[in-house]
Amino acid sequence: MKRSFIVIMSLLLVIALLITGCVPKGGDEVKEPTDTPSTDSSATPPSESKKEAKILRTNNGSEPGSLDPALAQGTHESWVLDHTFEGLMKIDPDLKVVPGMAEEYMISDDSLTYTFTLRDDIKWSNGDSVTAHDFEFAWKRALDPELASDYAHQLYYIKGGEAYNTGEGTVDDVLVKALDDKTLEVTLEAPTAYFLELTAFYTLYPVNKKVVESDPDWAKNASTHVSNGPFTLTEWEHNATIKIRKNENYYDSASVKLDGVDFDIIDDENTTWQKYEGGDYDFLTPLPQAVVAQMKDNNNPELIIGAEVGTYYYNLNSKVKPFNNIKVRRGLSMTLDRQTIVNKIAQGGQIAAEGVVPFGLPDENGKEYRDAVGKLVEYNVEEGKKLFLEGLAEEGMKIEDFKNIVILYNTSEAHKKIAQAAQEMWRVNLGIEIQLENVDFQVKLDREKAGDYHISRAGWIGDYMDPITFIELWESNSSFNDAKYNSPEYDQLVKIAKTSPDPNERFDAMRKAEQIVMEDMPIVPVYFYTQPYAQKSYVTGVYKPLVNYPKLTYADINK
């Protein structure tokens, strides 16, 4: 008995040692929450043995077309890119443009040459050092005509950039050069007051030269994706989820409180709102319009109306009859009741559009640009219908022909309701029947580029704080001129605005350009954006630049 007892006790001791040898040390493991809680009542309390990861859960409304900075073209991509990459400069929580990858910079007396010195401690998510050579490579790559970047024009400010991109020059003509691993020298075509801010824009983010050259498909999947920002892409289940996790190689990682962000990819706003209400999300944008109205009425503290510099509008395809006719275009614009749309449908503090450039941008004197331009759109049903019918007759068309005209919009309850409102307003005011078609956001973008639409819903958030970020959209050769607008006079004014060193001259040019485009009306402005979003009370540290989606970089979760 005694021997058997000793043997049994010895075996139990061995088993106990084996078991304890498999248990992680208390407090050392970071564990993401699971759907199924432990039912083992003997387990060590989580507060003693586990540190629950701080994962902020939210939704990204559409599948990204690309998570390559040079190929991205919309907020469905930039919201992820703005957290996984960082440029020479960045926008901080005080909404100031401050050094990012750059530690310091110098500007020549003639404001043409910028010399950036990079930080010592910057690395890619794979451990490689971020160098000035990566920036030179990334910017020249974005300008490469074979890459066909939609945003290549944002690098035209660099001397030789436009010539290379349009096939009139070579890559050697582009005056961006890494003088050594830490020093980048950039020479501009003309003084550009907003160039520093532009280096915080995603098209000018660096890419890892070694990674990109070795794998052309590096940006298509999380397993090969390499970035330099506060987070890194760890999972991308296409059309389903995107997961980013804290990048321990980021120079300011000590200030990053979150362990990561989980994005669902769901285009239905009612579904995502239900998930937010049910506790599945900690943060959500956009919100259903009816929800915004209800939260406002109830003074719900979780609702934040984010300020934004952006314009919601409809493209009119000028290559398709009858939208080639200025009277038809003006007639459609004059019979759209914008005030009713913002008051009764959008309901998020938006402002009925007065032109293409929204409020919030300074002019040459530091005052509100919009005030000096004035209201360039009007609601006048009688005059609008008269112009519309005259234009139709000039094109040999009748009201009945509009039954085959379609408003294209990307899948969203908000876009649907606004399209239905426009459809009804034009039915009542003009007597026309227009059809509606919703498609995925990327499909919409592709069809606009191909000119495969009649009327399409569009929106533009400024890339930086200067009116030219809107005015340049309808330049005849702009990648984003989806209305196919062409005006030599307009193009010349845009050129002056982009190249003149005289602030008075360039702002006068922009004001004249906006007046011209609003007389020709290739697009129908609807409203100036706000960005309502919902944020749980335990989430802190989110900030909202005027030209970006909310920044989660320094957010925290304290339940």
Side-chain angles (χ1 to χ4, degrees):
M1 283 289 291
K2 187 175 182 179
R3 179 180 175 84
S4 299
F5 176 77
I6 292 173
V7 169
I8 291 170
M9 290 300 295
S10 298
L11 288 171
L12 289 174
L13 179 60
V14 169
I15 292 170
L17 287 170
L18 288 171
I19 292 173
T20 56
C22 295
V23 177
K25 293 180 181 179
D28 286 352
E29 182 183 340
V30 175
K31 183 176 185 297
E32 294 188 24
T34 61
D35 293 331
T36 307
S38 171
T39 56
D40 182 2
S41 59
S42 64
T44 305
S47 60
E48 296 178 16
S49 65
K50 308 289 184 186
K51 177 186 174 185
E52 186 173 289
K54 291 184 176 183
I55 306 297
L56 188 143
R57 303 158 300 166
T58 187
N59 182 61
N60 191 56
S62 300
E63 165 76 2
S66 177
L67 289 180
D68 179 339
L71 296 176
Q73 57 177 319
T75 51
H76 61 314
E77 297 151 338
S78 66
W79 201 23
V80 178
L81 291 174
D82 285 345
H83 291 92
T84 52
F85 286 86
E86 185 172 286
L88 291 168
M89 305 294 284
K90 65 180 181 180
I91 300 176
D92 74 357
D94 294 324
L95 307 186
K96 295 179 180 178
V97 180
V98 300
M101 289 286 108
E103 184 175 55
E104 60 183 11
Y105 60 87
M106 292 189 301
I107 306 174
S108 63
D109 291 340
D110 61 5
S111 298
L112 290 177
T113 301
Y114 288 66
T115 304
F116 297 92
T117 302
L118 272 59
R119 297 176 184 271
D120 290 326
D121 53 348
I122 49 177
K123 293 183 179 295
W124 292 99
S125 55
N126 67 353
D128 293 345
S129 293
V130 179
T131 71
H133 299 282
D134 291 321
F135 279 93
E136 178 185 350
F137 171 78
W139 292 9
K140 289 180 175 178
R141 174 175 175 265
L143 283 166
D144 187 341
E146 291 191 8
L147 188 69
S149 168
D150 285 313
Y151 258 119
H153 69 280
Q154 295 292 29
L155 292 151
Y156 284 6
Y157 300 100
I158 301 171
K159 194 167 185 62
E162 182 175 8
Y164 174 47
N165 185 246
T166 57
E168 296 177 2
T170 69
V171 67
D172 293 332
D173 298 326
V174 182
L175 295 191
V176 52
K177 183 174 179 58
L179 303 182
D180 53 45
D181 284 351
K182 287 190 60 180
T183 312
L184 186 74
E185 183 181 83
V186 187
T187 302
L188 306 184
E189 292 278 6
T192 306
Y194 46 88
F195 182 71
L196 279 178
E197 186 177 353
L198 192 56
T199 68
F201 183 66
Y202 59 83
T203 309
L204 280 74
Y205 288 161
V207 294
N208 186 309
K209 183 175 186 290
K210 183 176 68 176
V211 168
V212 176
E213 288 183 331
S214 63
D215 181 8
D217 295 328
W218 69 279
K220 294 183 177 180
N221 295 287
S223 60
T224 52
H225 200 268
V226 176
S227 60
N228 71 318
F231 298 92
T232 185
L233 182 68
T234 57
E235 184 177 323
W236 184 4
E237 184 181 346
H238 293 283
N239 295 297
T241 58
I242 290 173
K243 294 184 179 181
I244 60 177
R245 292 296 178 264
K246 182 176 179 178
N247 179 11
E248 297 297 342
N249 286 326
Y250 182 57
Y251 67 89
D252 195 26
S253 64
S255 301
V256 178
K257 307 295 193 303
L258 294 177
D259 293 300
V261 181
D262 285 356
F263 300 92
D264 281 345
I265 302 174
I266 300 172
D267 60 18
D268 186 87
E269 292 172 6
N270 290 316
T271 298
T272 57
W273 173 248
Q274 290 168 6
K275 290 173 75 70
Y276 178 87
E277 274 198 307
D280 291 336
Y281 293 155
D282 310 297
F283 182 96
L284 183 63
T285 189
L287 306 173
Q289 290 160 331
V291 167
V292 174
Q294 184 179 36
M295 294 179 80
K296 283 177 65 180
D297 289 344
N298 295 336
N299 293 316
N300 190 322
E302 293 185 9
L303 174 67
I304 299 173
I305 304 294
E308 191 153 56
V309 174
T311 303
Y312 191 107
Y313 60 94
Y314 282 110
N315 287 305
L316 303 177
N317 190 343
S318 63
K319 298 297 183 184
V320 176
K321 275 192 172 189
F323 306 112
N324 57 310
N325 191 292
I326 187 173
K327 292 180 179 178
V328 170
R329 300 196 300 263
R330 288 180 60 80
L332 288 167
S333 177
M334 294 175 76
T335 53
L336 187 73
D337 185 354
R338 296 163 177 81
Q339 200 60 53
T340 293
I341 288 175
V342 298
N343 289 347
K344 304 295 185 181
I345 302 171
Q347 302 182 91
Q350 296 88 348
I351 299 172
E354 298 185 4
V356 294
V357 180
F359 288 97
L361 296 173
D363 66 10
E364 68 271 38
N365 300 311
K367 297 180 179 180
E368 174 60 57
Y369 166 88
R370 182 84 256 144
D371 289 345
V373 183
K375 189 173 182 179
L376 301 178
V377 296
E378 63 176 318
Y379 181 55
N380 185 331
V381 175
E382 183 178 352
E383 179 64 17
K385 186 171 184 179
K386 174 177 174 291
L387 285 171
F388 181 79
L389 293 176
E390 287 177 3
L392 275 188
E394 289 173 4
E395 299 305 320
M397 295 179 67
K398 299 179 180 179
I399 284 178
E400 292 75 19
D401 294 327
F402 256 78
K403 66 179 182 296
N404 297 317
I405 298 297
V406 177
I407 299 177
L408 181 70
Y409 65 93
N410 52 296
T411 305
S412 158
E413 189 65 25
H415 300 328
K416 178 181 178 180
K417 288 182 177 179
I418 293 171
Q420 288 174 333
Q423 178 189 46
E424 179 63 10
M425 289 172 184
W426 287 330
R427 185 191 69 80
V428 172
N429 294 335
L430 297 175
I432 57 177
E433 299 287 345
I434 296 181
Q435 310 307 311
L436 304 181
E437 180 184 6
N438 75 287
V439 294
D440 178 77
F441 188 34
Q442 191 61 47
V443 172
K444 183 193 81 78
L445 293 177
D446 293 341
R447 284 182 57 179
E448 285 171 332
K449 291 289 178 287
D452 181 20
Y453 76 94
H454 302 126
I455 303 173
S456 71
R457 169 266 152 192
W460 190 261
I461 309 302
D463 296 332
Y464 42 85
M465 295 295 289
D466 189 278
I468 194 64
T469 189
F470 292 89
I471 298 295
E472 70 179 359
L473 293 177
W474 296 283
E475 192 177 12
S476 59
N477 62 357
S478 166
S479 299
F480 298 96
N481 180 14
D482 296 324
K484 317 304 178 188
Y485 178 60
N486 189 317
S487 166
E489 183 182 5
Y490 186 84
D491 289 352
Q492 181 59 29
L493 290 167
V494 172
K495 183 177 180 180
I496 292 170
K498 285 185 172 182
T499 60
S500 175
D502 181 352
N504 292 320
E505 183 181 35
R506 65 181 302 268
F507 273 89
D508 282 344
M510 286 190 283
R511 284 186 279 264
K512 290 175 184 175
E514 186 174 7
Q515 289 166 357
I516 288 172
V517 79
M518 286 292 88
E519 288 170 4
D520 292 346
M521 207 62 72
I523 60 116
V524 176
V526 180
Y527 60 68
F528 297 145
Y529 275 107
T530 58
Q531 188 175 14
Y533 55 90
Q535 178 177 309
K536 297 294 187 181
S537 60
Y538 53 79
V539 175
T540 60
V542 177
Y543 63 101
K544 172 71 179 70
L546 287 172
V547 293
N548 296 99
Y549 259 41
K551 295 275 193 177
L552 309 174
T553 303
Y554 300 114
D556 199 1
I557 293 176
N558 292 292
K559 292 186 178 181

